[in-house]
Amino acid sequence: MVDHGGDQILSDCVVLMCAVGGRDEAEAIATALVEARLAACVQLLPVDSVYRWEGKTERASEVMLHAKMTRDRLVEAEALIKARHSYALPEIIAVPIVGGSAEYLAWVRASVETSGQP
C-alpha cells in the first residue's frame, strides 16, 4: 500500500532484478524487455556477487538488471529472460514499488501497455 496524503492505493509497479554474466547479454535482455513492452526501463549495473552453487562458494562479476514494470507483465518477462539467459538458474526476483513519483509510475504503466505508445 502507498500512502498519498491519507489515501492508500495498491501499487501495481515492481522492479524485477536479474543478474547476468556479461554486458552484451545484459544489453540484449534489457533491449528485448523494453522492445516487447514488458519493461518501461531497464538499468544495467555492474556488481560483484558471492553465492553458493553446487555446494561451493563462488564469486563472479556480473551485470544486474533492474527492470521497472507492472506486476501483470512478470510472467511474460520471466519467460523472455529464461529463453535468453545463459545461466542454468537465472536470478529473477520482483520487488514491489511501495512509493515514488506518481508521474513516473504512470509512465511505467503507460510504457508497458500494449495498446498505447508513450
Side-chain angles (χ1 to χ4, degrees):
M1 304 291 267
V2 181
D3 187 359
H4 292 283
D7 296 327
Q8 291 191 341
I9 59 170
L10 182 62
S11 175
D12 59 338
C13 295
V14 299
V15 176
L16 180 145
M17 297 182 294
C18 178
V20 299
R23 184 76 185 187
D24 291 343
E25 182 179 9
E27 288 181 6
I29 291 172
T31 299
L33 287 168
V34 172
E35 287 181 351
R37 300 182 72 86
L38 298 176
C41 171
V42 183
Q43 296 167 319
L44 289 69
L45 308 163
V47 296
D48 293 320
S49 299
V50 178
Y51 56 95
R52 179 165 300 283
W53 183 249
E54 297 180 345
K56 297 178 188 172
T57 301
E58 302 284 348
R59 289 173 174 72
S61 292
E62 300 177 297
V63 178
M64 180 64 70
L65 304 178
H66 284 181
K68 274 69 79 185
M69 62 182 55
T70 53
R71 188 175 291 122
D72 63 347
R73 305 300 271 164
L74 284 172
V75 172
E76 291 175 86
E78 180 179 357
L80 183 148
I81 291 167
K82 286 180 175 179
R84 290 166 171 76
H85 208 292
S86 63
Y87 292 175
L89 180 61
E91 170 188 2
I92 302 172
I93 299 171
V95 179
I97 297 174
V98 298
S101 160
E103 296 85 3
Y104 180 80
L105 296 177
W107 171 78
V108 169
R109 288 182 199 97
S111 293
V112 299
E113 287 179 2
T114 56
S115 61
Q117 296 291 327

